[in-house]
Amino acid sequence: MKIGQIEIPQLCRLAPMAAISNAPFRLIAKECGSGLTTTEEMDAFALLMDTRLADEMAAYYPQERPLAMQLLGRDPQALIRAAHRCEELGADIVDLNMGCPMPKITGKGKGAALMKDVPGTARLLRAMRQTIAVPFTIKIRGGWDDLHLNAVEVARMAESEGIDAVTVHPRTRSQRFAGKAPWTIIAEVVEAVRIPVTGNGDVRSTAEARRMVDETGCQSVMVGRGALGSPWVFDEGFDALTPQAQRDYKDRVIRRHMALIQEHCSDRYALSQMKKHLAWYTDGLAHATDCRARIFHTKSPAEVWDVFQEYWEVSARRAEPVAVAAV
């Protein structure tokens, strides 16, 4: 896939997720094979205030690049200034969030609410496109609800305004993340526009990503929830590894991820991030429910790591082959 002059040779890439897609997780995904990383959504006004939180959200590792920075907002002037700020910080791509379904966002006319006013959003995209030097992309949904499925209309409008690429999550705003993602909507957008289209929704493996490409014609696949607790989803060679090699791979990735969190985040935020991600990493472990309950009662990074390791090692012993004496 190519966005402007940015080459993205890998099939899959990590989706932007609020309070999740921070620098440590993005770098882990990149090292596992994600073709492009995108920051979590950053409110345009908040980014311009230069607060500590805004700086943390915009921070990234040089190894992540190419990097897209995703903005959230509805005010043209604020978004233009925030886009320029992203360029100053080193963003290779500026992305506008037009898909967030949360009421606290859409109630302010941001996120998926931008799909309700196509003429107004066209003017917004036009103003931003005229002043942004790097590639400019958008991420949309299937529509506001089942009665307003306008992803094709919005994608065509965006293409006419000079947008370089579009990512389509085919669920509607009213669906949020429930039900099955209707991939046919992605296919309809691919058919309707000439710019690159990335598909998103219900992909949890490389095999499913390839099936999405085959069924929709999209050029790349964005993986969000499918990468939680399994960033190795981006490594096309992972499934071919032996069980022991897979476990060793996971062990390296988890240790690396926890080290990056403690290096990058303040103590309090590091603890909450470690709890969240280690809880996801328990998937498939013996007594995972008990492990998660204990994880969320820990009081320090060292304690949460010790709890996780206790269950991780128990699972390792359970997975060891049983020696059979020769008769």
Side-chain angles (χ1 to χ4, degrees):
M1 185 179 186
K2 192 174 183 181
I3 300 178
Q5 298 303 311
I6 307 297
E7 294 278 359
I8 306 170
Q10 295 86 352
L11 172 66
C12 298
R13 56 191 175 106
L14 180 66
M17 293 174 281
I20 297 173
S21 301
N22 53 20
F25 190 48
R26 295 195 309 266
L27 182 56
I28 286 296
K30 179 73 172 182
E31 292 176 346
C32 286
S34 173
L36 177 71
T37 58
T38 307
T39 66
E40 59 185 297
E41 60 189 37
M42 300 183 292
D43 184 272
F45 284 113
L47 181 62
L48 294 171
M49 291 175 66
D50 286 329
T51 63
R52 178 180 175 181
L53 177 59
D55 290 342
E56 287 180 356
M57 293 176 71
Y60 63 93
Y61 292 97
Q63 307 96 296
E64 289 183 61
R65 300 181 69 176
L67 172 73
M69 291 190 176
Q70 187 182 75
L71 294 175
L72 180 71
R74 59 173 293 188
D75 181 270
Q77 292 308 310
L79 282 167
I80 288 170
R81 290 172 56 211
H84 289 164
R85 177 60 177 151
C86 289
E87 291 178 301
E88 291 171 357
L89 292 170
D92 298 291
I93 296 170
V94 172
D95 185 73
L96 179 63
N97 183 319
M98 293 175 54
C100 181
M102 304 308 292
K104 66 179 181 180
I105 300 298
T106 58
K108 298 177 182 178
K110 305 173 184 178
L114 291 175
M115 296 185 68
K116 294 175 67 178
D117 179 10
V118 178
T121 300
R123 291 190 293 272
L124 170 63
L125 296 182
R126 189 180 311 140
M128 294 181 71
R129 175 69 284 177
Q130 289 173 352
T131 61
I132 296 175
V134 299
F136 181 28
T137 63
I138 61 172
K139 186 171 188 287
I140 65 175
R141 284 200 164 233
W144 182 255
D145 54 32
D146 289 340
L147 297 177
H148 302 86
L149 298 173
N150 66 340
V152 168
E153 178 189 6
V154 171
R156 281 176 172 161
M157 174 274 291
E159 180 180 38
S160 70
E161 296 299 342
I163 299 303
D164 295 286
V166 58
T167 296
V168 183
H169 182 111
R171 288 184 178 88
T172 63
R173 183 277 322 172
S174 60
Q175 278 183 279
R176 296 196 190 180
F177 302 101
K180 186 177 181 180
W183 289 0
T184 52
I185 292 177
I186 301 173
E188 291 169 2
V189 172
V190 170
E191 183 68 22
V193 299
R194 294 181 299 278
I195 57 176
V197 176
T198 295
N200 175 220
D202 293 350
V203 172
R204 297 181 179 276
S205 68
T206 301
E208 289 181 346
R210 293 200 176 281
R211 184 165 64 86
M212 175 182 275
V213 171
D214 290 342
E215 292 185 12
T216 69
C218 65
Q219 291 182 270
S220 74
V221 177
M222 187 175 277
V223 183
R225 290 178 297 165
L228 303 181
S230 56
W232 36 85
V233 70
F234 298 106
D235 190 331
E236 295 195 47
F238 179 79
D239 290 339
L241 298 175
T242 65
Q244 183 58 51
Q246 287 186 352
R247 181 180 172 79
D248 292 343
Y249 186 120
K250 291 179 180 180
D251 189 74
R252 290 192 301 271
V253 168
I254 295 170
R255 289 177 181 276
R256 166 82 165 150
H257 190 183
M258 295 307 106
L260 287 172
I261 287 175
Q262 293 182 79
E263 166 192 293
H264 180 80
C265 307
S266 61
D267 288 345
R268 185 172 180 180
Y269 187 52
L271 177 59
S272 67
Q273 283 289 301
M274 289 180 70
K275 285 181 177 182
K276 184 182 298 185
H277 284 281
L278 286 174
W280 284 320
Y281 283 130
T282 63
D283 186 41
L285 295 187
H287 309 294
T289 301
D290 291 339
C291 181
R292 286 191 288 269
R294 288 184 59 191
I295 279 174
F296 286 111
H297 281 90
T298 56
K299 304 296 183 183
S300 69
E303 184 184 359
V304 70
W305 178 246
D306 287 343
V307 168
F308 176 80
Q309 279 295 297
E310 178 185 333
Y311 287 82
W312 181 257
E313 294 304 323
V314 167
S315 290
R317 290 194 294 272
R318 282 172 173 263
E320 290 176 356
V322 177
V324 180
V327 178

